[in-house]
């Protein structure tokens, strides 16, 4: 089984920028695929296709890239680790339905299976991201995090600028350093 992420280190002089591609992965382990509705065993909507190709130039600019390997339907790396872990596509770590509100599973995962996904896929990605952020803060005194996507449908914005749920950059940085 592949690692839950790929790390692409800068090939040019490193700059204090990290690009996170939390939805770039498309792999779904066979044991999970077998629990999906038949119509979703070969295709799942709203994945961020081709991010690896879209952003393959970033390491040449000195940017560190952390790329997910597994699908957002295995575990959504861009969601907070809070209850309910299994539920809403827009809020839960493991989505019960697609963004279009259609059921994904023939056999929904048990609580234990969801927690296993968190341990196997979610935590390693976020631990690596935290390590990268802390290393660059240590080296440069600051770091910029780019959370990159290519979502089709339901979101009309061409560019969405986030701010950590209303927190300023300085507050986010202080939280990262103290973590």
């Amino acid at each position: 089984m592949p690692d839950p992420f790929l790390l692409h280190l800068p090939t040019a002089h490193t700059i204090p920028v990290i690009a996170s591609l939390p939805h770039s992965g498309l792999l779904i382990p066979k044991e999970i695929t077998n629990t999906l509705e038949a119509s979703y065993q070969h295709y799942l909507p709203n994945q961020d296709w081709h991010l690896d190709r879209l952003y393959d130039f970033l390491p040449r600019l000195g940017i560190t890239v952390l790329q997910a390997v597994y699908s957002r339907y295995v575990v959504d790396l861009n969601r907070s680790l809070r209850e309910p872990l299994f539920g809403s596509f827009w809020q839960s770590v493991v989505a019960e339905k697609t963004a279009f509100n259609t059921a994904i599973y023939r056999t929904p995962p048990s609580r234990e299976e969801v927690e296993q996904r968190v341990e196997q896929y979610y935590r390693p990605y976020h631990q690596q991201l935290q390590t990268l952020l802390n290393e660059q803060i240590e080296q440069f005194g600051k770091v910029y995090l780019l959370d990159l996507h290519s979502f089709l449908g339901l979101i009309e914005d061409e560019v969405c600028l986030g701010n950590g749920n209303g927190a300023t950059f300085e507050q986010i940085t202080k939280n990262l350093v103290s973590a």
Side-chain angles (χ1 to χ4, degrees), residues 93-111:
V93 173
V94 177
E96 178 179 16
K97 298 179 179 184
T98 69
F100 298 102
N101 207 30
T102 58
I104 299 169
Y105 293 95
R106 269 184 304 114
T107 309
S110 67
R111 174 71 183 192

Side-chain angles (χ1 to χ4, degrees), residues 155-172:
I155 297 175
E156 295 180 13
D157 299 330
E158 288 186 30
V159 175
C160 300
L161 297 176
N163 65 0
N165 295 318
T168 68
F169 174 77
E170 290 172 6
Q171 289 169 325
I172 294 168

Side-chain angles (χ1 to χ4, degrees), residues 28 31-38 40 44 72-75 86-87 94-98 102-109 113-114 117:
I28 301 176
E31 63 272 12
I32 294 174
T33 301
N34 292 338
T35 68
L36 301 176
E37 291 286 350
Y40 292 129
L44 282 159
R72 72 183 309 151
Y73 290 101
V74 172
V75 65
F86 180 71
V94 177
E96 178 179 16
K97 298 179 179 184
T98 69
T102 58
I104 299 169
Y105 293 95
R106 269 184 304 114
T107 309
E113 290 168 325
V114 170
R117 291 186 199 183

Side-chain angles (χ1 to χ4, degrees), residues 141-159:
K142 64 183 175 186
V143 63
Y144 299 96
L145 175 62
L146 303 176
D147 192 66
L148 302 172
H149 301 271
S150 66
F151 194 84
L152 175 64
L154 300 178
I155 297 175
E156 295 180 13
D157 299 330
E158 288 186 30
V159 175

Side-chain angles (χ1 to χ4, degrees), residues 45-172:
N46 298 106
Q47 298 194 88
D48 290 12
W49 293 284
H50 309 296
L51 284 180
D52 55 336
R53 290 189 275 172
L54 183 61
Y55 295 116
D56 66 355
F57 67 94
L58 292 177
R60 293 190 304 272
L61 298 178
I63 297 172
T64 303
V65 179
L66 185 62
Q67 175 186 343
V69 170
Y70 290 92
S71 169
R72 72 183 309 151
Y73 290 101
V74 172
V75 65
D76 193 327
L77 299 168
N78 215 45
R79 301 292 177 251
S80 295
L81 197 54
R82 64 175 181 240
E83 296 294 338
L85 296 177
F86 180 71
S88 166
F89 177 88
W90 302 103
Q91 296 176 335
S92 296
V93 173
V94 177
E96 178 179 16
K97 298 179 179 184
T98 69
F100 298 102
N101 207 30
T102 58
I104 299 169
Y105 293 95
R106 269 184 304 114
T107 309
S110 67
R111 174 71 183 192
E112 293 77 27
E113 290 168 325
V114 170
E115 289 173 356
Q116 180 182 10
R117 291 186 199 183
V118 167
E119 291 305 315
Q120 191 169 358
Y121 308 106
Y122 186 94
R123 288 196 194 281
Y125 187 91
H126 283 277
Q127 287 168 349
Q128 181 64 52
L129 181 58
Q130 186 70 59
T131 296
L132 293 169
L133 291 167
N134 286 338
E135 286 173 357
Q136 289 207 2
I137 290 169
E138 179 73 25
Q139 181 179 354
F140 297 104
K142 64 183 175 186
V143 63
Y144 299 96
L145 175 62
L146 303 176
D147 192 66
L148 302 172
H149 301 271
S150 66
F151 194 84
L152 175 64
L154 300 178
I155 297 175
E156 295 180 13
D157 299 330
E158 288 186 30
V159 175
C160 300
L161 297 176
N163 65 0
N165 295 318
T168 68
F169 174 77
E170 290 172 6
Q171 289 169 325
I172 294 168

